[in-house]
């Protein structure tokens, strides 16, 4: 008898595209997760998968966007939190920040439902309460605001208010939320897309890239401590450290890199499911 499986999808910006390859392996094995937990990019990919889209469907959606820069630019402009007039009232940041809910409307697949209750697979979305300084697990109510909160990266994406709480990126408190899946299935899989350390790089990143990279550094420290307390049954770490966290136009290259590890992931998962 095949064992049940739950999966956690971590944050990592554009590197989160690597989650698609792991989900494709689940599809090939005919495995349907009992529950998905996602942080930031993992929440976006997880929400799409939980809605009933296959890994291949999500791949096509992401690749189509990544190969159309003008369309991405149009959607990004439509996702701005403020207008250029905001430069005079709220400062530069308010004019350039992304509204996470608008971003989700623009970039998530059209087939996405509006509410958690409409998902085909239960989903746990991880965000962070900015003022209480603690993680928040969202699993009911409106779906897009929850995903927007989970990916509300400081300086880039405006915080989201849900139930009178000001929420920011889930990576600030729980970048790889496998701990929320204990007891939910026979096997817990965690996909860490933060990327391995790179000792050879010396280039100076842009301010936004530096902010995202700093969050990943802190997130890696959190994950390392969590793993000392308990590990998932399978920890997958795609080799995506070469890519920057804003390399969304490199979607095809990110997925090509992941092809080399899909065989190993498939073998390890199959062995766990049948043991």
């Amino acid at each position: 008898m095949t064992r049940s499986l739950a999966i956690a999808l971590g944050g990592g910006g554009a590197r989160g595209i690597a989650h698609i390859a792991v989900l494709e392996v689940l599809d090939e094995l005919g495995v349907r997760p009992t529950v998905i937990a996602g942080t930031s990019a993992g929440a976006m990919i997880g929400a799409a998968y939980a809605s009933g889209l296959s890994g291949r469907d999500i791949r096509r959606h992401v690749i189509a966007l990544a190969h159309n820069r003008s369309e991405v630019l149009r959607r990004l402009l439509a996702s701005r939190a403020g207008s250029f007039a905001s430069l005079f009232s709220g400062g530069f940041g308010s004019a350039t920040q992304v509204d996470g809910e608008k971003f989700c409307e623009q970039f998530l697949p059209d087939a996405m439902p509006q509410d958690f209750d409409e998902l085909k697979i239960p989903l746990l979305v991880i965000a962070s309460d900015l003022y209480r300084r603690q993680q928040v697990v969202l699993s009911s109510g409106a779906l897009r605001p929850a995903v927007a909160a989970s990916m509300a990266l400081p300086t880039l994406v405006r915080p989201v208010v849900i139930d009178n709480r000001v929420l920011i990126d889930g990576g600030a408190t729980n970048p790889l939320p496998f701990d929320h899946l204990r007891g939910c299935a026979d096997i817990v899989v965690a996909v860490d897309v933060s990327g391995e350390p790179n000792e050879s790089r010396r280039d100076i990143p842009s301010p936004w890239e530096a902010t995202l990279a700093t969050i990943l550094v802190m997130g890696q420290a959190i994950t390392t401590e969590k793993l000392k307390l308990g590990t998932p049954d399978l920890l997958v770490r795609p080799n995506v450290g070469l890519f920057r966290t804003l390399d969304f136009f490199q979607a095809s290259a990110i997925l090509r890199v992941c092809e080399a590890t899909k065989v190993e992931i498939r073998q390890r998962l199959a062995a766990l499911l049948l043991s």
Side-chain angles (χ1 to χ4, degrees), residues 79-188:
S79 302
R80 282 187 296 121
S83 65
F84 288 114
S86 302
L87 283 169
F88 301 99
S89 59
F92 183 74
S94 61
T96 58
Q97 272 193 326
V98 168
D99 180 310
E101 293 182 56
K102 290 181 181 178
F103 184 90
C104 288
E105 290 288 348
Q106 291 292 326
F107 287 96
L108 283 173
D110 293 336
M112 290 284 298
Q114 296 295 320
D115 197 275
F116 276 92
D117 290 342
E118 301 173 63
L119 293 171
K120 293 180 170 57
I121 300 173
L123 176 68
L124 307 177
V125 172
I126 310 301
S128 302
D129 188 315
L130 179 61
Y131 296 115
R132 292 183 177 88
R133 301 180 184 178
Q134 60 189 21
Q135 68 174 306
V136 176
V137 181
L138 303 165
S139 59
S140 62
L143 179 61
R144 284 174 174 79
V147 174
S150 185
M151 52 162 279
L153 289 158
T155 74
L156 282 179
V157 182
R158 186 170 64 183
V160 177
V161 178
I162 298 177
D163 295 333
N164 293 318
R165 295 175 297 188
V166 179
L167 305 181
I168 60 169
D169 191 273
T173 51
N174 196 344
L176 190 60
F178 62 87
D179 49 314
H180 289 290
L181 301 179
R182 294 192 181 104
C184 295
D186 298 320
I187 300 166
V188 174

Side-chain angles (χ1 to χ4, degrees), residues 128 148 191 262:
S128 302
V191 187
K262 283 177 71 172

Side-chain angles (χ1 to χ4, degrees), residues 37-267:
T39 294
S40 199
M44 289 194 73
I45 299 292
Y49 195 68
S51 72
L53 295 175
S54 68
R56 181 68 62 177
D57 292 333
I58 302 171
R59 174 189 286 258
R60 292 194 186 102
H61 177 77
V62 170
I63 294 299
L65 282 173
H67 290 180
N68 191 339
R69 288 176 178 260
S70 61
E71 178 62 14
V72 169
L73 179 59
R74 184 192 70 77
R75 296 190 188 203
L76 279 174
L77 288 173
S79 302
R80 282 187 296 121
S83 65
F84 288 114
S86 302
L87 283 169
F88 301 99
S89 59
F92 183 74
S94 61
T96 58
Q97 272 193 326
V98 168
D99 180 310
E101 293 182 56
K102 290 181 181 178
F103 184 90
C104 288
E105 290 288 348
Q106 291 292 326
F107 287 96
L108 283 173
D110 293 336
M112 290 284 298
Q114 296 295 320
D115 197 275
F116 276 92
D117 290 342
E118 301 173 63
L119 293 171
K120 293 180 170 57
I121 300 173
L123 176 68
L124 307 177
V125 172
I126 310 301
S128 302
D129 188 315
L130 179 61
Y131 296 115
R132 292 183 177 88
R133 301 180 184 178
Q134 60 189 21
Q135 68 174 306
V136 176
V137 181
L138 303 165
S139 59
S140 62
L143 179 61
R144 284 174 174 79
V147 174
S150 185
M151 52 162 279
L153 289 158
T155 74
L156 282 179
V157 182
R158 186 170 64 183
V160 177
V161 178
I162 298 177
D163 295 333
N164 293 318
R165 295 175 297 188
V166 179
L167 305 181
I168 60 169
D169 191 273
T173 51
N174 196 344
L176 190 60
F178 62 87
D179 49 314
H180 289 290
L181 301 179
R182 294 192 181 104
C184 295
D186 298 320
I187 300 166
V188 174
V189 177
V191 187
D192 181 0
V193 294
S194 60
E196 66 284 352
N198 190 323
E199 298 181 5
S200 63
R201 293 185 67 166
R202 297 291 185 272
D203 53 308
I204 303 298
S206 69
W208 281 352
E209 186 72 36
T211 298
L212 293 175
T214 300
I215 291 172
L216 288 180
V217 170
M218 294 187 293
Q220 188 63 54
I222 294 171
T223 298
T224 298
E225 290 304 310
K226 282 177 54 181
L227 289 170
K228 292 178 182 177
L229 301 175
T231 61
D233 298 289
L234 176 59
L235 177 59
V236 177
R237 282 177 162 152
N239 186 26
V240 292
L242 173 67
F243 300 96
R244 292 183 180 274
T245 49
L246 292 178
D247 276 346
F248 292 100
F249 289 117
Q250 297 295 318
S252 293
I254 291 170
L255 289 169
R256 279 197 300 271
V257 166
C258 293
E259 285 299 317
T261 62
K262 283 177 71 172
V263 174
E264 178 187 357
I265 296 169
R266 188 181 300 110
Q267 291 173 342

Side-chain angles (χ1 to χ4, degrees), residues 25-47:
V25 173
L26 296 186
D27 292 339
E28 292 163 9
L29 293 173
V31 178
R32 179 188 174 95
T34 59
V35 61
I36 301 168
T39 294
S40 199
M44 289 194 73
I45 299 292

